[in-house]
Every structure is written in structure tokens, then in C-alpha cells.
Amino acid sequence: MDLPRVGTLRRTLPYSLRFAREYVLPLWRWYLPGVAAVLITNWLGVQVPTRMAVGLDKLRAGEVGVATEAMWIAIIGVVVIGVRTLSRVWFFTPGRIAESRMRESFFAALLRLQPGFYSRSPTGDLLSRATSDVTFARALAGFALMQGANAIAGLVAGIGSMLMLSPILTVAVVIPCVLAYLAVSWVTPQLMAMQRVSQKQLGELADELLSSFQGVATVQAFCAEETFTRRLDDRAANLRASSLKMTRLRVIAIPLLTVAGGVATWMLLAVGGGAVRNGHLTAGELAAFVALVAFVVMPLRVVGWLLPVFQRAEASLERIYLVLDEPVERPDLGLARRPPARAPSLTFRDLSFAFGDAPDRPVLHGISTTIAGGSTVGIHGSVASGKSTLLRLLARLQNPPPGTVFVDGVDLRELDLDAWRTGLCLVTQTPFLFSETIEENIGFGAGRAAVAAAAHEAALATDLDALPAGLDTVVGERGIALSGGQRQRVALARGLLRPASLVLLDDVLSAVDPRTERELLTTLRSRTEATRIIVSHRLSALVHTDRILVLAGGRLVDEGTHAELLARPGPYRDAWDTQDEPADEGGAAVRA
Amino acid sequence: MSADTASAAPWTWRSLVPFLRPDLRSFVLALGLTPIIAGLGVLQPILLKGVIDEHIIGGTGEGLQRDAGWYLAAVIAVFVVEGVYTWVLANAAENSILRLRHALFRQVLSLSQRFFERQPTGQLMSRATSDVEALNEALSAGSIALILDICLMLSALGAMFWLDWRLAGLLCLLGPPIAVVIEFTRRRMRALYAEIRDSLAAMNSYAAERIAGIEVIQLYGLELRVTERFSELNRRYRDANVMNNVYDASLYAFIDGIASVCIAVMIFWSATNAHTAVSIGLIVAFLDYIERLFRPLREISGKITFLQRASTALDKIFWLLQQDDRITPGDRSAVDAQGHLVLRDLRFRYRRDSPWILDGVSLEVQPGEVVAVVGRTGAGKSTLVRLLARVHDGYEGSITVDGVELDRIRPADIRRTVGSVRQEVQLFRDTLRFNITLDDATLDPARVEAAIRESGADRIAEKYPEGLGHVLRERGADLSAGEGQIVSLARTLARNPALVILDEATANVDPVSERILQEAIERLFAHRTCLVVAHRLSTITRADRIVVLAGGRVAEVGTHAELLALEGEYAALYREGMGAMAG
């Protein structure tokens, strides 16, 4: 087999055990009556063949009381209907509860995780963990537990009743069953490994789908439909291949259990037949034995169902727990200091930084400087000069190394993250909008008046007038119903709405026309309670800042006021000399 | 959720035939094996009865081992035949699913932008993943398996009547009440399935979007708000499932319990009708048959579930397959295009009830000419680009390239005729090279290399040890916006189009990337016919002609100097730009 050998059931079991401890055990109030119902069901169940044996023998002997036996069997049948229903409901419902709780924890964990994690984990794959993998965990907590309990109770009740009738025949029935069980458990680890592969492939397919569908405009513009269909087909074909591999094993393993029942019945005839003829056993008892074979085979068949459930659940739980256990880069140093309420001063001390997935390619090199509280600082630099990374570190989307960034003299990493972000406003170059109303996208539940004011400040008012429902316009997935410029202005309004003490604008002013840009800068400067950092490729936005930092290749190569920087040769003056004056207000056309 | 309300697509199971046909032989073989499996199965209790009545209770016991051996042989034969059946069926089902997926991929990728604006991606993904899986289940464990079950039940019934028609007839009286209960439950469950599917789809698309927008959620501290909303959706899904389980459990237990009632009836009947000799072998055989009747009946509920699930899934799959919101492909070839573009009285609006975005634009671009289009936000520039890029259909008036109406040109020729570089850059999680070629085998390799140099994409590749083999992150997250635009330009240039439509980026490009782009644009202008939606003065002044759009019409045409002298719209635009520079 070309698959890597994956651990045996025992070695991988810990995930199931952990799941049991964290999600199943707390629901014991459901499972306890469920177990009782299962026990009653099975105890009543074996009463049917044993009473039948008595009835049949009485019938053959011509004795009275046969009708009473028949009546009892009918009553038991009716009662079992009710109890069995309850036993299933009391197991399946907590299974669903466990599923929904786990999905919630999973989602909550995702919300805590940092960009580094997301750059490693394709969205489609994460999504398939939250949807399909969690359902396999549920099968474990509901179906598997119920069937497991049922199987044990059935085996005990069935074998117990058999032993009371004839120990030798019991052995004759049990031997083929045990052999079949061994054969099945031999196949299990292989199925388990295949299951993992297949789930990974499903994730890959989902991922490829997501990127193809999201990039569909390009796919179509370049007539690359064939290429992308082929890429998707390849993923689907992988899925098919591994699915068929599993079927090949299952075809042999699963019916083996049914065959064992047939062999057991044959043993009853071959061995038990003689016993009846010798008078060691009554004919009714032999009939009961044949009926009781089902009580051994049923649990065995259940084991056949359970093993795949276990395999899938183990594989799925591993994928879920990998995310739940993913370390959150939100250091809880036990200090969690409150950040300053007003315009903090920022100090960088020999700040170097590389992303976790490319530790040998630092994005920032030894940056040291101080930004005074309440000042407005511009950052200028070419692509990949580290501007955006610097802002992201300040927002702690990534954590800076310890001892490199200080806020009013306190290490940034020691500040309480939530409190720090509450006082922070970062508007990025690539705004993300949710498929909700514009109001929701700006305010996230803040009052309408505040939203309208922020929209006005961000020069969104004219856009809103042109849109069919103004602030109530639903913007579509990723804001697809808006133009690029409108999306950026919505994001800007979102940022302006917060009473921030640190405002970080990552090249967003290009979304507005020059006049609005000037107004916005004035508004920003009037917010004296805040420290402001403005990254802009349009140099006009930097002219009136208190100081400009010039970054190149992740290094701070120059700093000074606009006038100072123009006075000496360097990248800033070069950029000033080569720039073009913008001839129109930017932003794409309105799409109604 | 427009997809779900509109899901009453007219389809029948017959619509599936094209997907199943290539594996018809396998499906027929599987179908052909079902009576054999049923026959072998029904033989077992008869053999059992023979052994008990003739060799154990009666007779001399001589043929006991031989006849018991026959019973064993029947058991093994079922195992073998059933194995073949399952394998053949699974193979055929998987193949069919592959074909259906292929059709879905093709279909979705062919639909227009307008369709994607209305459809959440999460839902489209469900069509090709979970909905298709539901059909797979139905094919491999639902449809023919259901026929097998019916065969098993019918043959068991037949054997019972053959063995003792009076007893069998008596047991049949239990049939109608059982049927009523099953039908009642089935109806209830069908309604719940729809709810389960809908709530799942809603939850999935919500989650997908929040994961994509995770940074905003974290920056704005929305974790709690989002978690609460997600819990709500999650709970809706859970509750529908819990209700469904109650019905499912009752049905299962009911069928199970009825078997005991049958045993009671048999014994009671034997006791009260002493004149009919009911042998123990007969009772054992009947017990076996009742088990054979009820086991499939019990599993039928599961298999019907598969079919129901498949049926709801197919509603959605075929709804999607029947969507026809696509850009009509043309059929005229356009080889050796010169790029002579003529717009005549072009009018366009996005919806029938919305205002005209383009309201009678007439414009001509001669081969080799560079025309810049400028205008304020809302003037219709981006819409013009979208029409020329064939993202949107349904314009009035005409757009011709070298005399051929744009929407009549074959898709295969159009990218060589009109190449567009749009502001929104879309990158895929694959190598830089793939992002440029999109694995188009018809591209001239030398042309691709030239395009990479012309656009400056080679300077991006230099940054990575793998060069053009560097695999981009999801959505090209490791490239800056400017770098993305350079790759996007390379992609267009690799097609060597006669006419280039360039929507110049307004934002995010720093002077250095801009310099690379400028150089690329200069090369572009020197060699090609271009229509540029321009935002930079340098671009505008290099154009042969400038067209000023206002209110969806051409307001002014001329060179930079001519237009300034005109003191109109262009002059106003220009001054606003200048004013900003002066501070």
C-alpha cells in the first residue's frame, strides 16, 4: 500500500477520549436515561425468543397457556417500541448538542487566531472542518455511543440467554462471530488511513472550488474555463480513487459479519440437531437459539458500522483539535496592562521582523525611532518596504519581538490586546466588506446617527445618495456591489467611527478626490487626542505631517519633515520628482 | 437566499440519465444481480426448515450434515454475489458523480458576473461538494439498493405464501397500518430536510465570509457579536436535526417492535387452530422471513432518506445546471485583428429599472492609436471597461472591432483581439507562472517570456528563490497591490491582444512599482492599440487623444492642450488635481 502507515486505533484514540471528556461527559444527564432505556430494550428483547421457546414446546406437548405466552410477546413488542424510541432520542439529541457546541468552540477559536495561521490554512479547508469534520464527531457522540451501548447490552442479554439454554451451542455460535470480528479489526487501520487521505482530498477540492469561483471573472476573461475545470476534475478524480479503494476493503470486511451469522446457524443445525435428537434440548429451545443468533450478530454488525465511524471521527477530531490547540499569539504574560487612553507616544527599538513562514527573509531591519504622542507621522516607501508590516505590528495582527515596540514606555506585547485594539483604528489598503448593509459594515451595531456622521466624514455621502437604499444597501459578498473606491470609503468610515487614540491609515486616502483628502487630513489633525500614522503613495497626503519616515527594503533610511527631506537627495526626493499629478478623483465608477 | 427560494427547478430523475449512461452496463449488471441475491437469500430459510423438520425433529437424522452443508453454501454464495454487486455499483456511482461534478464545474465557471453577484460562493461550493455527495449516497446505497430491498421483501413474502398461505395472509393484515405509519413519518421528515439543508447553507456561508474577513473582526473586536450570530445559525440547524431524529427513531423502533407482534400472532394462531399442523421448522423459517421482511423495511427508511436528501440536493444541482445567465458566446472568427475599435451610440444600464450608465457613447480608436478616457466617478469609465472585457452583456448600440460586432467574436479569438487589465486583480494559489499563463497551452512560449519582461513581472520573480515557480498564497496575499497589477498586466500581454483595454489603478501603487508599470505602459503604447481609463497625468499626456466622459456621454475629445484651452470639464478636472498638489 502506498499510504503512509498511520497509528493503530489505540494510538489515535486520545482525540476521541478527549472529545468524550470535553463534550460528551458534560451531557451525562441525557446519556444516563438513554443507557437505562437501552438496557430495558435489550432485556425485553430476549424475552421474546425465550417465551417463544416455552410457547412452542407447550404447543407441541398440547399443553394450555400458549395464548398467554403469545399475548405476553405482543405486549413486550409494543413496550419495546416506546422504550427503543426513547433510547435513540436520548442518545442522538446529546450527540447533536455536542456537535453544535464543538462547532461553536471551533468557530470561536478561529476568531482568535492570528494572520500567520490563516496564511497557512486555506479558507475552504477550515470551512470543511467546521462543517463536515464536526459531523463525524457528532456521529461518535450520538450514533456510535448508542450503538455501542446497544451492542454491549445485546451481547450480554443474548449470550446470557443462550448460556442458560446450552453452553456448548453458545460456544458454537460465538466462535464464527469472534473470527469475523478479528478479520474486521485487521482491516480497520487501513481503512482509517484511507479515510484521512480522502478527507484531506475533500478539503483540497473545497479549496480549489473557492479560489476558482472567487476568481471567476479572470477565468472567464482569459477563457481559462477549461484549465480550471481540469484542475477541479483532478481533485474530484483523486477523491473518487480513494473512495473506491475504501469500498474494495469494505466489500470484504463488512458482509463478513453477516456471513458469521449464517455460519453460526449452520453450526446450530450441525451440532444442535444431534442434541435435539438425543433429547438434550427441546425443539422449542433450538428455535429460540436460532432466533437468538441475531442478538450476537446484530452487535457484530454494529461493530462493522462503528469502526468506520471511529476512524472518521478520529481523523476529523484530529483536524478539529489541531485548530483548537493552535497557539494563540496573544501573549498572556499575566501583565495585561491597560493601554493609555490618550494619544500614546510610540518607540521602536531595533525592531526587526520576519513572518513565521519565511524566517530567513526579514521584512523589517533594525528600525529605531520615536513617534511623539499626538503627532501626525507619514510613512513613505516602495512596495515591500515594510510599511504595511509596521502598521500590522502596531495593530498586533502580528506580534513584534519582545522589547522592540513601546507604547508610552511599556512593551506593546504587555498591553491587554482587546483594550489596545479598542483604542486603535487601522484602515488597510484592501478593505474587507461583509455581505450585509453598509450601515452594519460601518457601525457593526453602532447607532445610525453615528454611522451617518462617519460616512459623511469619509466622503461617502454622495455615494450613498446614488445607491438604491443608501445606508441600507446590502453590499453583496465582499462588497461586490460597490466599486473599489466606494469599498475603501466604507472601510474608512468604519475606522473613523471609533474614538481611537492611535489612527493608522494604510494608503487609503487615494480612495477620495484631492479636495476630500485635504478635508480628511484636516479632520484627522483636529483629533488631538490621537496619534496618527499615515501611509500614502500619494505624497500630497504626507506634505503636512509633522514628520515623515522613509522606508526602503525594510530599513528606516531617512526621516524628517517634508521640507527637510526635499532639501537632501534620497528616495523621498526622487519620488517627489518623478511623481505625477493625479488628474481625476480616483475610484472606479459607481455601479448602481 | 435567492437560490433556495428559486429552487423549484423542473427536473426529473430522467435528467440524471446523461450522467449515468456511460456506466449503464454496470448499473444493469448490479440490477441483474439483485434477483440472484434475493433468490439465494430466500432459499436459506427453506433449507433451514427442511433440516429441522426432516432431519432433526422427524426422519432418521441421516441427511442432516449434507442438508446443513447446503445451507452453508447458500450463505457463502450470497456473500460472494453481494460483494460483486456492491463493488460494481460503487464504481458506477463514483464515475457518475465525477461526470456530474465536471458538469457543475463547467457550468459555474461559465456563468456571468451578474450571477456571482447574487450567489454566495459558499452555496455554490455546497452544490459541488455536499449536494453531490448526497447523490453519491443515493446512487450507491439508495436507488438500486432500494430495488434489492424490494426484491428481498417480495421474494420473502412469496416464499411465506408458498410455505403456508393462511399464516402468511394473516400476517399481511399488519401491512396497511405499517404503511400508514411509514408514510406519515416520511412526510414529516421531508419537510425537515429542507429546513436542515437551508440552515446548513446559511451557517456555512456566514462562516465562510467571517473567516475571509477575520482581520476586520479582530481589529474591531467583533468576536462576540459574530460568535453570537453564528450560534444562532448553528442552533437553528441543530434543532431541525433533533426534531428529525425523533421521527427517525420512532420509525426505526416501530418497525422493530412490529416483528415481535408478528411472532405473537403466529403462536396465537397455531394455538387456536390446532387442526392445522404448524411445524417448528415452519415457525423458524417464518421468523427468518419476518426478519428478512423487516430488516430491509427498517433500512428502507434510511435509504429513502438518502433518496430524499438526493432529491433536495438535485433540486439545487439542477437549478444551478439550468441557469442560463451567461455571456453569449459569439461564433465569428477574428484572426489577424488590427484593433480598430468603433463604438456607436453605446447605451447600457445594469438593470431595467436603473438609470443609463452609458447613454449614447460614440468613439473610434484607430489601429495603433492610444486613447485615454477620463472622467469623474460615475461617469461610466469602469462600465465601459466591463463591456469591452465582456464581463457584462446586453448593451444597446454597437461595439465593433475590425468591423466585427464584439459579442459575435468567438471566445477563443476574443482574448487575442481585446485584452483587458482591470483594477481588481485576481490571483490564484499557484505559481507566478501559472498566474500569468493560466495553463493556456495555445500560448506561444516566447510571447509569454516577452510579456513577463515587458510587464516587469520578472522583477517580482527575482525576489523569490523559486523565481516564477514561486507559489502564491491564497488570493496572492504575499504580493503587494502594485505587484499584483504587474502580474495582471503580464497575463494580458501574454495573449498578445491587438487592442488593450487598460483600467489604470487608482490606488496602492507606490512610485517604484509605478515606475515599473509606467515603463511597461510606455512599451505598450508604442506597440499596440490602447484604450486607457487613465488616472495619471503622465498616461493622459502620452495618449494620442483624450476622451472626457460625463454623465454617460462623450463630453469632450482632443489633446491635452486642446482640452485645456476649451476651459470645460477637462480643465476643471485638471485644476482640481493641480490644486491638491499645491496643497
Side-chain angles (χ1 to χ4, degrees), chain A residues 227-500:
Chain A
T227 302
F228 279 79
T229 306
R230 201 166 52 238
R231 283 159 73 91
L232 289 165
D233 282 345
D234 287 348
R235 301 286 197 280
N238 289 341
L239 203 57
R240 168 186 173 276
S242 57
S243 163
L244 283 180
K245 239 184 205 172
M246 278 189 282
T247 306
R248 218 172 315 166
L249 275 184
R250 284 210 182 112
V251 156
I252 298 171
I254 306 297
L256 220 48
L257 302 157
T258 315
V259 173
V263 174
T265 306
W266 168 70
M267 297 274 271
L268 279 180
L269 296 177
V271 181
V276 173
R277 293 198 72 86
N278 295 339
H280 294 313
L281 199 70
T282 70
E285 283 168 346
L286 182 66
F289 240 106
V290 173
L292 281 170
V293 168
F295 277 80
V296 183
V297 171
M298 186 277 293
L300 274 179
R301 193 177 296 133
V302 163
V303 170
W305 296 335
L306 283 191
L307 289 177
V309 172
F310 254 101
Q311 300 149 18
R312 286 185 180 205
E314 267 299 325
S316 292
L317 283 169
E318 183 178 355
R319 284 161 51 79
I320 294 165
Y321 274 117
L322 278 180
V323 173
L324 289 179
D325 292 345
E326 179 75 25
V328 177
E329 280 176 28
R330 149 189 307 220
D332 189 13
L333 299 173
L335 301 162
R337 303 210 202 173
R338 302 295 303 170
R342 285 173 52 90
S345 74
L346 304 169
T347 308
F348 300 95
R349 246 177 243 161
D350 195 23
L351 166 65
S352 296
F353 180 79
F355 287 98
D357 53 349
D360 49 335
R361 265 196 286 140
V363 185
L364 295 174
H365 296 270
I367 291 187
S368 298
T369 188
T370 298
I371 292 173
S375 65
T376 304
V377 171
I379 299 184
H380 170 72
S382 62
V383 165
S385 61
K387 309 175 302 246
S388 298
T389 308
L390 197 64
L391 296 196
R392 293 171 69 82
L393 290 179
L394 282 174
R396 282 176 73 190
L397 284 170
Q398 260 91 14
N399 264 327
T404 54
V405 181
F406 296 86
V407 177
D408 284 347
V410 179
D411 192 326
L412 176 63
R413 295 171 53 116
E414 292 175 13
L415 298 179
D416 179 76
L417 182 69
D418 291 328
W420 173 242
R421 285 200 177 142
T422 307
L424 177 103
C425 151
L426 167 64
V427 185
T428 57
Q429 344 178 8
T430 44
F432 187 93
L433 267 53
F434 298 103
S435 55
E436 315 264 355
T437 61
I438 293 182
E439 178 179 352
E440 172 70 16
N441 267 297
I442 293 176
F444 302 118
R448 184 154 184 122
V451 170
H456 187 79
E457 261 194 312
L460 196 63
T462 41
D463 299 298
L464 290 178
D465 291 342
L467 288 167
L471 278 176
D472 295 322
T473 307
V474 178
V475 301
E477 211 173 342
R478 287 175 179 271
I480 194 166
L482 301 183
S483 75
Q486 285 172 336
R487 265 176 264 172
Q488 270 196 329
R489 289 190 283 273
V490 169
L492 190 59
R494 181 193 275 170
L496 292 174
L497 183 64
R498 341 190 84 193

Side-chain angles (χ1 to χ4, degrees), chain A residues 48 52 59-60 66-67 70 73-74 77 81 84-85 88 92 96 100 103-104 107 110-113 118 122-123 127 131 206-207 209-211 213-218 220 222-223 226-229 231-233 236-237 239-240 243-244 247-248 251 255 259 262 265-266 269-270 273 276-277 283 287 357 361 381-383 392 421 426 429 432 434-436 440 444-445 477-478 480 494-495 498 507 510 514 537 578-589 591, chain B residues 48 55-60 65 68 71 79 83 87 90-91 94-95 98 102 105-106 108-111 113 116-117 120-121 125 203-204 208-216 218-220 222-223 225-227 230-231 234 238 241 245 249 252-253 256-257 260 264 267 270-271 280 284 287 350 375-377 381-382 386 411 426 428-430 434 438-439 464 473-475 480 483 491-492 495 506-510 512-513 535 537-538 540 573 577-578 580-581:
Chain A
V48 174
M52 182 187 75
L59 194 65
R60 255 167 67 83
V66 179
I73 291 174
I81 292 178
R84 192 184 284 277
T85 303
R88 292 176 82 88
F92 287 164
R96 289 284 174 183
S100 82
R103 186 179 285 122
E104 248 173 76
F107 191 68
L110 282 184
L111 292 183
R112 279 199 312 272
L113 287 166
Y118 283 98
T123 313
L127 210 55
T131 55
D207 211 36
L209 277 172
L210 190 69
S211 88
F213 290 177
Q214 285 177 343
V216 73
T218 299
Q220 292 177 350
F222 288 88
C223 300
E226 287 302 320
T227 302
F228 279 79
T229 306
R231 283 159 73 91
L232 289 165
D233 282 345
L239 203 57
R240 168 186 173 276
S243 163
L244 283 180
T247 306
R248 218 172 315 166
V251 156
V259 173
T265 306
W266 168 70
L269 296 177
V276 173
R277 293 198 72 86
D357 53 349
R361 265 196 286 140
S382 62
V383 165
R392 293 171 69 82
R421 285 200 177 142
L426 167 64
Q429 344 178 8
F432 187 93
F434 298 103
S435 55
E436 315 264 355
E440 172 70 16
F444 302 118
E477 211 173 342
R478 287 175 179 271
I480 194 166
R494 181 193 275 170
R498 341 190 84 193
D507 210 356
S510 51
H537 89 276
T578 57
Q579 75 178 328
D580 276 314
E581 296 134 312
D584 103 335
E585 64 208 63
R591 271 176 38 211
Chain B
L48 195 60
H55 300 302
I56 295 178
I57 294 170
T60 58
Q65 297 306 333
Y71 174 81
F79 169 64
W87 171 246
N91 236 312
E94 288 284 350
N95 290 340
L98 206 59
H102 176 78
F105 299 155
R106 233 171 214 289
V108 174
L109 290 177
S110 79
L111 290 168
Q113 278 302 295
F116 280 92
E117 284 164 19
T121 317
M125 282 174 64
M203 181 172 73
N204 284 355
E209 214 191 16
R210 303 310 119 160
I211 293 175
I214 186 73
E215 280 195 3
V216 175
Q218 293 183 343
L219 278 173
Y220 287 83
L222 303 175
E223 288 93 339
R225 190 179 166 83
V226 168
T227 309
F230 181 76
S231 303
N234 191 15
R238 185 194 74 194
N241 272 305
N245 278 341
Y252 183 93
D256 187 77
S260 303
I267 295 175
S270 310
I280 295 231
V284 171
L287 277 181
Y350 285 96
R376 292 174 190 279
T377 300
K381 294 170 301 187
S382 292
R386 286 168 161 265
Q426 285 176 328
F428 301 94
R429 205 156 61 91
D430 207 310
F434 174 84
L438 298 179
D439 262 3
Y464 303 101
R473 290 200 202 135
E474 202 174 355
R475 300 172 153 271
S480 78
E483 289 169 326
R491 190 187 279 165
T492 300
R495 271 76 191 170
T506 49
N508 307 334
V509 185
D510 60 292
V512 168
S513 283
H535 300 291
L537 190 59
S538 60
I540 295 168
L573 272 173
M578 284 303 289
M581 295 317 301

Side-chain angles (χ1 to χ4, degrees), chain B residues 141-206:
Chain B
S143 53
I144 292 187
L146 200 62
I147 295 171
L148 174 59
D149 281 348
I150 291 167
C151 275
L152 284 171
M153 289 164 69
L154 285 180
S155 54
L157 263 182
M160 285 166 82
F161 274 98
W162 180 68
L163 285 174
D164 188 327
W165 64 270
R166 275 170 300 193
L167 190 52
L170 183 67
L171 291 175
C172 277
L173 291 179
L174 289 169
I178 294 173
V180 168
V181 172
I182 291 178
E183 179 56 23
F184 169 80
T185 322
R186 207 182 65 84
R187 283 195 187 166
R188 288 297 170 91
M189 284 164 75
R190 188 171 162 81
L192 279 169
Y193 280 128
E195 165 72 5
I196 289 171
R197 292 248 136 210
D198 288 352
S199 54
L200 181 66
M203 181 172 73
N204 284 355
S205 35
Y206 185 83

Side-chain angles (χ1 to χ4, degrees), chain B residues 466-480:
Chain B
E466 309 88 349
L468 287 166
H470 174 72
V471 177
L472 296 183
R473 290 200 202 135
E474 202 174 355
R475 300 172 153 271
D478 41 354
L479 292 189
S480 78

Side-chain angles (χ1 to χ4, degrees), chain B residues 537 541 546 556 558-575 578:
Chain B
L537 190 59
T541 49
I546 301 164
E556 297 163 10
T559 63
H560 179 64
E562 286 165 13
L563 290 176
L564 276 186
L566 214 60
E567 279 298 330
E569 177 78 6
Y570 182 80
L573 272 173
Y574 180 73
R575 263 197 302 277
M578 284 303 289

